[in-house]
Amino acid sequence: MTFQWTAVAAFLYGEMGVVILLCLPFISPLRWQKIFMFPLWSKLAVFWNKMFLTIIVLLIVLFFDAIREVRKYSSIHVNEKAVNVNTNAFDHIQLKLFRSQRNLYLSGFSLFLWLVLRRTVTLITQLAKGMTSHAALEMQVNDATEAAKKYMAENERLQEALCEKGSSRKKESVEATEERLKKEVEHLKAELQKTSNALHKANNEVSTVKKQCGGLKRDYDHLMKEYERLQ
């Protein structure tokens, strides 16, 4: 195996290892997001798009070169078989055809897994952001609920004070305070409803991203089975 195809094979094995690592269930997307936030990854992120496109171009060139070699040696294989050449030459052609087919599979799977790896990292990042937003919305909902309970307790205390004091002037003052508190409670209820809607939307987004990750994992498992069958 030449140097370039040895490098492609090593790159393919590295891709398989990284994809398997990203699909491990006990490593949460939030933990992956913390890993991606390391200073080293921040420096590499500047060159990530250029590196991604460069590797895509190289793999495409190698893939089409492998297709050309397969077609070349396939036609030679058919012609040599037809004219009944000696066994050594026929075996040499078969060896060349096998190597070209092997190179085709290496470059094709490397190209496919490179795209899968990019998509997997993107989905994990989106899922981590959705989970962070979900936690923040839950905290806001809890704060709004506690504030509403506090105002309702104050309202009940004011109503008790109103029953105890028979002065009309104090009643008017308490009624004004009660009206103000009612408006504040209504405002807090509206904010609570708005926050609940945002939380529901975030839950839907997280569910969608989880479904996409599940589909991607199923595609990857199918690809690995196909690769094992081809091997």
Side-chain angles (χ1 to χ4, degrees):
M1 186 181 293
T2 59
F3 174 76
Q4 62 179 1
W5 293 112
T6 302
V8 172
F11 183 72
L12 175 61
Y13 299 146
E15 285 178 323
M16 292 170 61
V18 173
V19 171
I20 292 174
L21 188 64
L22 290 174
C23 293
L24 292 177
F26 56 84
I27 303 179
S28 65
L30 294 176
R31 185 170 298 178
W32 279 118
Q33 189 181 29
K34 292 180 181 179
I35 295 174
F36 294 153
M37 294 300 291
F38 285 167
L40 177 63
W41 296 112
S42 300
K43 294 178 181 179
L44 292 177
V46 180
F47 308 99
W48 169 247
N49 290 328
K50 294 181 180 179
M51 182 178 67
F52 176 78
L53 293 176
T54 302
I55 294 177
I56 282 290
V57 172
L58 291 176
L59 291 176
I60 290 175
V61 171
L62 292 174
F63 181 71
F64 281 109
D65 181 67
I67 292 177
R68 182 184 61 82
E69 291 291 326
V70 170
R71 295 181 63 182
K72 172 184 175 182
Y73 289 112
S74 296
S75 61
I76 295 176
H77 174 76
V78 173
N79 293 333
E80 295 294 341
K81 188 176 181 180
V83 298
N84 295 323
V85 297
N86 59 51
T87 306
N88 293 331
F90 185 74
D91 291 341
H92 180 72
I93 294 171
Q94 282 188 320
L95 179 62
K96 290 287 187 180
L97 179 61
F98 169 75
R99 289 178 178 176
S100 60
Q101 290 174 343
R102 177 203 61 195
N103 297 337
L104 176 65
Y105 290 130
L106 286 176
S107 58
F109 280 111
S110 297
L111 179 62
F112 178 76
L113 281 182
W114 186 241
L115 296 173
V116 170
L117 182 62
R118 173 67 178 267
R119 184 60 178 167
T120 303
V121 172
T122 302
L123 289 175
I124 288 176
T125 304
Q126 291 177 355
L127 182 58
K129 291 180 179 179
M131 294 174 68
T132 303
S133 301
H134 181 267
L137 288 173
E138 283 186 345
M139 187 177 296
Q140 291 179 1
V141 169
N142 293 331
D143 292 340
T145 303
E146 291 178 359
K149 290 179 179 179
K150 180 180 178 181
Y151 281 116
M152 291 176 68
E154 291 181 356
N155 187 22
E156 290 177 357
R157 286 197 298 270
L158 287 174
Q159 288 179 353
E160 291 176 357
L162 180 62
C163 293
E164 293 176 356
K165 296 180 180 179
S167 172
S168 61
R169 184 175 179 181
K170 291 183 179 180
K171 285 183 179 180
E172 292 177 357
S173 176
V174 172
E175 287 178 355
T177 306
E178 182 182 1
E179 186 66 25
R180 178 177 61 83
L181 289 175
K182 285 182 179 180
K183 291 181 180 179
E184 291 181 356
V185 169
E186 291 178 357
H187 176 70
L188 286 174
K189 287 182 179 179
E191 291 293 330
L192 180 61
Q193 182 65 30
K194 186 185 298 183
T195 308
S196 299
N197 293 335
L199 177 62
H200 180 68
K201 182 179 179 181
N203 287 329
N204 291 335
E205 293 179 354
V206 170
S207 300
T208 303
V209 174
K210 286 183 178 179
K211 290 180 180 178
Q212 291 178 352
C213 288
L216 182 61
K217 184 176 181 182
R218 287 193 298 270
D219 292 340
Y220 173 75
D221 293 336
H222 177 71
L223 175 63
M224 291 301 300
K225 291 180 181 179
E226 185 68 19
Y227 179 73
E228 292 177 358
R229 186 182 66 80
L230 293 175
Q231 287 291 335

